[in-house]
Amino acid sequence: MDALRLRPSLLSTARPGAARPRDHFLPPCCSIQQNGEGRICFSSQRTQGPALYHHQKFFDWKSSYCRISRRSLNTSVNASGQQLQSEPEAHDSTTIWRAISSSLDAFYRFSRPHTVIGTALSIVSVSLLAVQNLSDISPLFLTGLLEAVVAALFMNIYIVGLNQLFDIEIDKVNKPTLPLASGEYTPATGVAIVSVFAAMSFGLGWAVGSQPLFWALFISFVLGTAYSINLPYLRWKRFAVVAALCILAVRAVIVQLAFFLHIQTFVFRRPAVFSRPLIFATGFMTFFSVVIALFKDIPDIEGDRIFGIRSFSVRLGQKKVFWICVGLLEMAYSIAILMGATSSSLWSKTATIAGHSILAAILWSCARSVDLTSKAAITSFYMFIWKLFYAEYLLIPLVR
């Protein structure tokens, strides 16, 4: 370091006007002076003429270099070699991901996922009834099944979305977390979503070319629209019996028969045959569809009463409708057990009897513990009914 220090002795011996050894390191506008205490100080002298321009350029370059160096620290690499993001970039990235997550969550709630799962499971289960041996499970079968499931899910989103569009005020009381009721979606957004999904459903059904599939979509569209839309002679959900028949027609009849025929006649090119398992599935799901149609209104009794929806829960009371639903399901399980007992297949008999006996016992045990004065408890039990619905579609392919 001593070699780099400017020594006063060298400065004092320099002749006036002679070039100093180290002056070439500094621009001409700078001079080195020795004060009375033996310290070296640098002073900047104003110069005239063209020299001033070069001196200013030198200092401008130095200050610019310092600013660039300081800015480069914001995007410097860390010890592991990874580039660090500046705070604005990190904030923008977080905001984008938060917006995407919020949008997906809103659409998830808008689609009513418990109905989406029920639709997908029911179509897969009924389609398997057309399978006669393992060789039937081929790419042709899987393609036909996928086409049916996707088209039906698009139509499902249209139906539940349309219902929310015409129930915004009711849902503000009964289901305030839904996107339209909470204000996350505007009505225009809801209209756009249901329109797009209806168009995609019909477009796919038409492209596939299966008559059973297309008619299933069309009838579901008509009944779903008449159930919800607020036009003269429509909005059938206001009438308890008609509302129940709409749900029964879609869940019990159309799903079982139309999608079975789609696989049986269009995919496998076999003649239409209404087999014993198909008849059982249609009969059992008739009970289940009635239960879903009745039970879904039990948690919503407050909003339905305010807006004049004369559901069975409004007319008969929550407690009576609750136990009617439990009784219908227990009756359906009893019939299923008898159906299993008459099966000629030992494995089918065992699975059908054991499976439905377990579900019947679980249902009774859970029903006895429900607090009918609590909306949260009733809603939770309603979602449990849907889980039983899913479980039944796992058992239906085992019925022979």
Side-chain angles (χ1 to χ4, degrees), residues 139 164 221 319 347:
Q164 292 173 63
F221 173 84
K319 184 175 181 180
W347 65 266

mmCIF file of all heavy atoms in Angstrom, residues 139 164 221 319 347:
data_model
loop_
_atom_site.group_PDB
_atom_site.id
_atom_site.type_symbol
_atom_site.label_atom_id
_atom_site.label_comp_id
_atom_site.label_asym_id
_atom_site.label_seq_id
_atom_site.Cartn_x
_atom_site.Cartn_y
_atom_site.Cartn_z
ATOM 1 N N PRO A 139 -58.906 -49.356 -26.754
ATOM 2 C CA PRO A 139 -58.848 -47.922 -27.077
ATOM 3 C C PRO A 139 -60.157 -47.394 -27.647
ATOM 4 O O PRO A 139 -60.517 -46.230 -27.403
ATOM 5 C CB PRO A 139 -57.717 -47.848 -28.104
ATOM 6 C CG PRO A 139 -56.824 -48.993 -27.764
ATOM 7 C CD PRO A 139 -57.745 -50.082 -27.297
ATOM 8 N N GLN A 164 -77.414 -20.867 -11.096
ATOM 9 C CA GLN A 164 -76.847 -19.793 -10.276
ATOM 10 C C GLN A 164 -77.183 -18.412 -10.834
ATOM 11 O O GLN A 164 -77.382 -17.455 -10.076
ATOM 12 C CB GLN A 164 -75.329 -19.963 -10.177
ATOM 13 C CG GLN A 164 -74.885 -21.183 -9.389
ATOM 14 C CD GLN A 164 -73.385 -21.397 -9.457
ATOM 15 O OE1 GLN A 164 -72.606 -20.561 -9.003
ATOM 16 N NE2 GLN A 164 -72.966 -22.515 -10.028
ATOM 17 N N PHE A 221 -80.262 -30.521 -21.541
ATOM 18 C CA PHE A 221 -80.280 -29.073 -21.780
ATOM 19 C C PHE A 221 -81.694 -28.511 -21.600
ATOM 20 O O PHE A 221 -81.883 -27.487 -20.933
ATOM 21 C CB PHE A 221 -79.770 -28.791 -23.199
ATOM 22 C CG PHE A 221 -79.894 -27.361 -23.625
ATOM 23 C CD1 PHE A 221 -78.916 -26.435 -23.290
ATOM 24 C CD2 PHE A 221 -80.987 -26.928 -24.373
ATOM 25 C CE1 PHE A 221 -79.026 -25.113 -23.689
ATOM 26 C CE2 PHE A 221 -81.106 -25.604 -24.769
ATOM 27 C CZ PHE A 221 -80.118 -24.696 -24.428
ATOM 28 N N LYS A 319 -87.385 -31.513 9.390
ATOM 29 C CA LYS A 319 -87.247 -32.799 10.069
ATOM 30 C C LYS A 319 -87.990 -33.910 9.341
ATOM 31 O O LYS A 319 -87.447 -35.008 9.122
ATOM 32 C CB LYS A 319 -87.768 -32.687 11.511
ATOM 33 C CG LYS A 319 -87.579 -33.956 12.319
ATOM 34 C CD LYS A 319 -88.001 -33.745 13.769
ATOM 35 C CE LYS A 319 -87.772 -35.022 14.589
ATOM 36 N NZ LYS A 319 -88.179 -34.818 16.011
ATOM 37 N N TRP A 347 -69.503 -64.269 -6.601
ATOM 38 C CA TRP A 347 -68.748 -63.050 -6.284
ATOM 39 C C TRP A 347 -69.639 -61.811 -6.363
ATOM 40 O O TRP A 347 -69.500 -60.898 -5.554
ATOM 41 C CB TRP A 347 -67.536 -62.908 -7.194
ATOM 42 C CG TRP A 347 -67.847 -62.703 -8.653
ATOM 43 C CD1 TRP A 347 -67.927 -63.656 -9.618
ATOM 44 C CD2 TRP A 347 -68.123 -61.458 -9.303
ATOM 45 N NE1 TRP A 347 -68.240 -63.103 -10.827
ATOM 46 C CE2 TRP A 347 -68.356 -61.745 -10.673
ATOM 47 C CE3 TRP A 347 -68.190 -60.138 -8.874
ATOM 48 C CZ2 TRP A 347 -68.661 -60.760 -11.604
ATOM 49 C CZ3 TRP A 347 -68.491 -59.151 -9.795
ATOM 50 C CH2 TRP A 347 -68.726 -59.463 -11.143
#
